[in-house]
Amino acid sequence: MSTLVIVESPTKARTIRNFLPSTYRVEASMGHVRDLPSSAEEIPEAVKGEKWAQLGVNVEADFEPLYVIPKDKKKIVKELKDALKDATELILATDEDREGESISWHLLQILKPKVPIKRMVFHEITREAIRDALTHCRDIDNRVVQAQETRRILDRLVGYTLSPLLWKKIAWGLSAGRVQSVAVRLLVRRERERRAFRQGSYWDLKALLEKGKISFDAKLVTVGNVKVANGSDFDENTGQIISGRRVLLLNEEQARALLSRIQNKPWTVTNLEERPVTRKPSPPFTTSTLQQEANRKLRLGARETMRIAQSLYERGFITYMRTDSVHLSEQAIAAARSCVQELYGSEYLSPQPRKYTTKSKGAQEAHEAIRPAGSTFRTPQQTGLDGIDFRLYDLIWKRTVASQMADSRQTHVTVQTQVEDAGFRSSGKRIDFPGFLRAYVEGSDDPNAALEDQEVILPALKVGDKPNCKDLGAIGHETQPPARYTEASLVKMLESEGVGRPSTYASIIGTIVDRGYAKLIANALIPTFTAFAVTTLLETHFPDLVDTGFTSRMEQTLDEIATGEAKWLPYLQKFYTGETGLATQVKEQESQIDAKVARTVVLENISAKVCIGKFGAYLESESEEGLVKASIPQDLTPADLDPEQVEFLLKQKTEGPEKLGLHPETGEPIYVLIGSYGPYVQLGDVSETNKKPKRASLPKGTDKDTVTLDMAVSLLTLPRLLGTHPDTGAKVQANLGMYGPYVVHDQGKVGKDYRSIKPPDDVLTIMLDRALELLAQPKAARGSSKTATPLKELGAHPESGELINVYDGRYGPYVKHGDINASLAKDESVENFTLQKALDLLAAKEAAGGGKSSSKSKKSTKTTAAKSETATKKTAAKKTTAKKTETAVKKTTAAKSETATTAKKTTAKKTATATATKKKTN
């Protein structure tokens, strides 16, 4: 008797296999095995002539979906069918959210098993959880499946009905998504607010006072009992004080006059107030709050956070990562309280277990919040994780443990001081008992440092005291426009508005950036001209589809379908084919939408029109000579386009480029221009005989107005030949590239060796000797400022012969062998670290599945990954036999050899998992 268990990914399969008897065979479906057709070639011949086939949903036959098996999944389906032939029982163990339920249903439809079927669900992958889940199997929940299928059909109807309209009216290749379009509108609305913003300015005074050798700050708040204006008193649309506000607006002259008047006058404490404050810990993470906090603390994007969390879940480190529940099981509460007791002491434990409940009606993605897996929580140091895996687990562990800790008790102190008729205020904060803040401070990496930063200690003061004024200054301020959305703040906004599901936010943000609706710059999401055009069209002609309230109500209906409170078919009929349905609206509106108007973006204070063209955004303006068009640089966003830039771009088109002067050697003119990729200099004019004049981009951060003739001449010499390399005789050059200035050792077919040029070195003045010094330095890892110089060389691996070294990493020293990195224990000395210790550490890391994907493995296909999975099982069987026959010494050697030989297979399987995860997005 054998049982076939099907999960989504090889990593998950490998982890679960360790917890099941040998009679269980665990295979991976690699995510979805069936979906609506994504291209015309996937549509079956039998229905290709049908008008609804491209849509993938037969709207005339009760919205029947056309499901197909994608080409890259056919081999996997065949392998699953073959595996089922030998099974006497089938267990569908996909994730317990709606999409996981849907995957199980699709597997059932494809495999058509004739053996008993069970649906197994769990929210963590531990031995205890898997064994428990086996005894509590259930049937597939058809209502949940129907809700997910309705969501999929709904998204297809919106996307495939509106997108072609955008192609016709704005630009080819654009897309409109049900939730994506709402998110883009939020970005555009915020950018409109920023463009409409008018800056206001105000002045105040700041004093440094002293009492008993303790200094503290005091800020001006009143003059003659009238409140002094601050930033909150300004109207963002006018830059003036909000109408009706009775405040005193100080300019620089008035502020300095007040300073002179009260200088050297006595200060008196007029009032002192102490207010006790209690803070409770935040609840454990949901998908949304994990994405927000990982973005704030770790600078991770939503997609990257979910990818790492998925890997941690599948390897058994955390519970299921797609959830909007803050609930903790009794087991988890006990584990967290045990950690608090052991690490911080009983005084830091909350008097009673804290139980969190989710307020959202639709919170039904999983049974628990995201927390460390198991009945006892491994500390981050006990996991063997390193790098960003370690940091994300550390974040989850701290948040979970802190949720069962005592409240933080603080005292907020406010001191009022008076000098003449000017009133000043000082604010202090004393942490009387840190409580949960000892373990976790939201938005801060280091709780201890955060505690120090949070405390503002004031001296012991009482009414009537006369502190000394050590310093007094007048300070000018300018009001700031509304902050752009970051990934964290956009996720928070979508969740608060009830738009989309937490598990979809990562893919939504990724799609917005990938499709060119926004640029992610310095962690801010900045909408593009295309986003403005699409949002304006949808707001004008399909306002409901980009209304957060309408989309939120849609989500509620989908939740009601999952619980049986609503029927899916009437809802789809009303949404799509009713009198006010989407299909009807599109037919009515298409003839009313003027493509020229749809392609035009109206921006405040810009006289020219901004239009969307085949090759991007461009300016259009009427002049005496007729219509003038000028391309807008691709890195220029609507927020950055101002009247001066518009004038320059149009002038460059009508009057020609700005002439810097003549080249000292050739006599040709040198111009400064702005093109699609930013500002550049050009030598000579475009002509029949010189169709492509020599050009050179300006170094990043260089303003076109600061470019001199000498600088332009130097830039046009790039790439500069510095000389030949003494070891190879190959040329060494300096140049500007996509990532900034660099030197390169060009050995032709042998390859090119690059090094970045950093200040104070300059690409225009660097000489051969300095270039050779840079080339002699080890390459820095991309995204890291540390060079790959080993802290200690340990020697060659006994099996592979590759060198094993200790390096200084972002999170401390680590040992590296090939593609495997393993962090040294915190108390481990690099000086005393030996080759044997390294071998043991690497073997343990490999056994835990913690290898780092190599470039080759990243290119491996799902098929290769599946073969690797099979090969690994065979290898494991041989390894077990070898263990029975060999001595203890040989066992160790075999295990190490196995580690070396299976490293690439392991990384290939990981890549397949990542691919499957990518496919499985909402």
Side-chain angles (χ1 to χ4, degrees), residues 529-597:
F529 293 103
T530 301
F532 271 69
V534 169
T535 296
T536 301
L537 184 150
L538 295 177
E539 285 176 329
T540 305
H541 300 280
F542 308 97
D544 280 351
L545 291 179
V546 287
D547 178 68
T548 53
F550 179 83
T551 310
S552 177
R553 289 191 294 276
M554 194 181 295
E555 294 293 346
Q556 291 175 14
T557 303
L558 291 170
D559 288 341
E560 289 166 0
I561 291 170
T563 58
E565 299 172 63
K567 301 297 182 182
W568 68 276
L569 185 56
Y571 177 68
L572 284 179
Q573 290 171 332
K574 181 181 178 182
F575 172 80
Y576 193 73
T577 58
E579 290 184 8
T580 58
L582 180 62
T584 307
Q585 288 185 54
V586 170
K587 286 179 183 177
E588 292 175 352
Q589 295 292 330
E590 184 170 354
S591 60
Q592 300 178 28
I593 300 173
D594 185 326
K596 180 62 179 175
V597 173

Side-chain angles (χ1 to χ4, degrees), residues 208-216 457-460 467-468 470:
L208 180 65
L209 306 180
E210 184 184 63
K211 179 69 166 59
K213 296 186 178 181
I214 297 177
S215 299
F216 60 102
I457 303 300
L458 299 179
N468 297 322
K470 304 285 289 182

Side-chain angles (χ1 to χ4, degrees), residues 687-699:
S687 65
E688 282 297 320
T689 57
N690 188 25
K691 293 183 178 181
K692 291 186 177 181
K694 186 172 178 60
R695 293 169 176 171
S697 297
L698 299 189

Side-chain angles (χ1 to χ4, degrees), residues 605-837:
N605 302 325
I606 302 296
S607 56
K609 292 180 180 177
V610 177
C611 303
I612 307 299
K614 186 176 181 181
F615 302 106
Y618 64 91
L619 294 169
E620 192 175 271
S621 179
E622 292 285 350
S623 71
E624 295 178 359
E625 291 77 21
L627 192 65
V628 180
K629 296 180 180 180
S631 294
I632 297 175
Q634 291 186 6
D635 61 349
L636 198 63
T637 63
D640 302 320
L641 189 64
D642 56 35
E644 291 76 20
Q645 288 170 317
V646 170
E647 182 183 358
F648 181 87
L649 291 168
L650 293 173
K651 185 178 178 182
Q652 175 179 286
K653 202 71 177 178
T654 55
E655 300 178 12
E658 181 182 338
K659 186 176 176 180
L660 278 176
L662 301 178
H663 194 284
E665 295 177 7
T666 67
E668 294 175 281
I670 296 179
Y671 303 103
V672 179
L673 302 97
I674 295 181
S676 297
Y677 299 99
Y680 63 95
V681 293
Q682 175 179 300
L683 177 62
D685 296 295
V686 178
S687 65
E688 282 297 320
T689 57
N690 188 25
K691 293 183 178 181
K692 291 186 177 181
K694 186 172 178 60
R695 293 169 176 171
S697 297
L698 299 189
K700 195 171 184 180
T702 303
D703 191 297
K704 63 180 178 57
D705 296 327
T706 64
V707 179
T708 63
L709 180 61
D710 289 342
M711 182 189 293
V713 170
S714 297
L715 287 170
L716 289 164
T717 65
L718 298 176
R720 291 174 55 221
L721 179 61
L722 305 182
T724 58
H725 198 288
D727 295 338
T728 65
K731 60 184 179 183
V732 177
Q733 295 176 307
N735 202 0
L736 273 173
M738 186 177 180
Y739 301 105
Y742 64 88
V743 292
V744 57
H745 175 204
D746 187 354
Q747 299 183 67
K749 292 182 179 179
V750 176
K752 297 180 180 180
D753 191 19
Y754 296 89
R755 294 295 184 279
S756 295
I757 298 174
K758 304 289 185 187
D761 292 319
D762 189 323
V763 68
L764 301 178
T765 59
I766 193 169
M767 304 302 289
L768 179 62
D769 288 349
R770 177 57 181 154
L772 294 175
E773 288 180 18
L774 293 177
L775 289 165
Q777 295 176 4
K779 277 189 177 180
R782 179 163 289 186
S784 171
S785 59
K786 293 180 181 292
T787 57
T789 305
L791 296 176
K792 186 176 183 180
E793 296 180 357
L794 300 175
H797 193 286
E799 301 298 333
S800 68
E802 291 185 54
L803 289 177
I804 298 178
N805 295 326
V806 180
Y807 294 93
D808 185 15
R810 186 177 179 185
Y811 309 110
Y814 66 94
V815 61
K816 179 178 179 63
H817 169 240
D819 297 323
I820 309 297
N821 297 343
S823 294
L824 274 65
K826 288 194 173 181
D827 57 352
E828 183 71 63
S829 166
V830 174
E831 292 75 15
N832 298 327
F833 196 68
T834 63
L835 177 60
Q836 186 56 52
K837 287 183 178 179

Side-chain angles (χ1 to χ4, degrees), residues 275-283 293 296-297 348 350-351 354 356 399 402-412 429-444 447 450-455:
R275 181 168 56 92
V277 175
T278 300
R279 281 185 58 189
K280 296 182 181 297
S282 299
E293 192 71 337
R296 284 192 292 260
K297 283 190 175 183
Y348 282 90
S350 63
R354 296 185 188 271
Y356 298 90
R399 176 90 163 213
S403 73
Q404 293 301 317
M405 293 179 71
D407 295 344
S408 168
R409 298 193 302 274
Q410 306 170 5
T411 300
H412 290 194
K429 180 164 65 175
R430 183 175 67 248
I431 296 178
D432 303 311
F433 176 66
F436 72 91
L437 295 177
R438 180 61 67 199
Y440 181 84
V441 180
E442 196 161 3
S444 171
L451 288 176
E452 294 172 7
D453 292 340
Q454 285 191 3
E455 278 201 308

Side-chain angles (χ1 to χ4, degrees), residues 84 144 155 164 219 295 312 417 443 466 484 488 691 775:
L84 186 59
V144 173
D155 288 341
K219 182 182 177 182
N295 185 254
L312 291 174
T417 49
K466 297 187 178 297
R484 290 188 175 102
K691 293 183 178 181
L775 289 165

Side-chain angles (χ1 to χ4, degrees), residues 57 140 186 198 239 244 252 330 428 463 467 496 503 538 669 748 829 835 881:
V57 178
I140 288 177
L186 289 172
R198 296 294 174 264
E252 181 177 7
E330 294 296 332
V463 174
S496 66
S503 56
L538 295 177
S829 166
L835 177 60
T881 305

